[in-house]
């Protein structure tokens, strides 16, 4: 949003902090609500990998077959598609969706992308959504392995979505937004319509006997 001028850069750190704190609080809520189930399943031994791994409940981790390069491409692609959809939803010059339903549209878009692209590594698509819960698990008992697992996977869901977001935004602006037809000002349109109606009435009077 900042790169395309849709949001001022002064808001950037505010949004980052708000999303980070929200994701951290969300992870804490999930941990608290499911504490009994976690303790029953793990016996108090919280593992990042192995048959009783539970860290993936909070943050994303790659499958064993996934390389860092493949995972990075996965995150770039999923986030680029997310931003393409978000820009289309909020583009007032596009067909869009009914006003007020934008959050539902974004939510359905995320569900669609997660359902189709979560196989490799969980489809983070947001640095705050991954890093904040990962930090929570670090302090909650999973330990430093949350940053070393998956060949030090932790940085991929941070850098990948940033690159993908920039690509998705650029593609939408360059290939769609810049090609919208110019729209007339509503006041000018209304004035034109009234003038045309008046001219039609005058022609009808002149042609009547």
């Amino acid at each position: 949003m900042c790169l395309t001028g849709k949001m001022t850069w002064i808001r950037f750190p505010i949004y980052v902090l708000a999303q980070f704190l929200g994701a951290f609080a969300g992870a804490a809520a999930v941990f608290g609500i499911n504490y009994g189930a976690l303790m029953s399943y793990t016996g108090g031994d919280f593992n990042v990998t192995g048959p009783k791994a539970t860290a993936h409940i909070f943050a994303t981790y790659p499958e064993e077959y996934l390389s860092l390069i493949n995972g990075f491409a996965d995150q770039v692609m999923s986030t680029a598609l997310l931003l393409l959809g978000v820009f289309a939803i909020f583009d007032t010059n596009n067909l869009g969706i009914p006003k007020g339903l934008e959050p539902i549209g974004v939510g359905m878009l995320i569900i669609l992308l997660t359902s189709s692209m979560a196989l490799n590594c969980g489809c983070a698509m947001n640095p705050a959504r991954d890093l904040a819960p990962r930090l929570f698990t670090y302090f909650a008992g999973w330990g430093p392995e949350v940053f070393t697992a998956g060949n030090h996977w932790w940085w991929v869901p941070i850098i990948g979505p940033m690159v993908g977001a920039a690509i998705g935004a650029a593609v939408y602006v360059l290939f769609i937004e810049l090609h919208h037809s110019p729209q007339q000002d509503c006041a000018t349109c209304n004035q034109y319509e009234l003038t045309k109606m008046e001219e039609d009435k005058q022609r009808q009077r002149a042609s009547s006997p």
Side-chain angles (χ1 to χ4, degrees), residues 65-82:
Y65 60 79
L66 191 70
S67 67
L68 288 179
I69 295 176
N70 194 174
F72 187 84
D74 178 287
Q75 291 298 296
V76 170
M77 175 64 74
S78 61
T79 312
L81 292 174
L82 172 65

Side-chain angles (χ1 to χ4, degrees), residues 125-175:
M125 299 187 296
N126 187 334
R129 168 259 177 276
D130 191 84
L131 181 58
R134 194 179 299 274
L135 280 173
F136 174 82
T137 54
Y138 173 83
F139 293 114
W142 280 265
E145 191 181 356
V146 299
F147 290 104
T148 59
N151 196 19
H152 295 83
W153 166 262
W154 69 272
W155 64 271
V156 176
I158 299 176
I159 306 300
M162 290 184 180
V163 175
I167 292 174
V171 168
Y172 189 87
V173 171
L174 291 175
F175 293 97

Side-chain angles (χ1 to χ4, degrees), residues 3 8 16 24 31 41 57 65 69 79 82 93 98 102 109 127 153 164 172 175 183 192 204:
L3 287 173
T8 58
V16 170
F24 193 92
F31 179 79
Y41 180 72
I57 296 173
Y65 60 79
I69 295 176
T79 312
L82 172 65
N93 293 321
E102 295 90 348
L109 174 63
W153 166 262
Y172 189 87
F175 293 97
Q183 293 184 345
Y192 171 78
Q204 289 178 356

Side-chain angles (χ1 to χ4, degrees), residues 86-100:
V86 169
F87 271 49
I89 290 171
F90 287 96
D91 187 355
T92 56
N93 293 321
N94 206 335
L95 293 177
I97 60 177
K99 189 173 180 60

Side-chain angles (χ1 to χ4, degrees), residues 3 7 25 28 30 35 43 46 53 77 85 122 138 143-144 154 157 162 164 168 174 179-182 203:
L3 287 173
M7 188 174 76
V30 170
Y35 180 77
F46 297 153
M77 175 64 74
Y138 173 83
W154 69 272
M162 290 184 180
L174 291 175
H179 302 281
H180 286 319
S181 300
R203 279 196 293 268

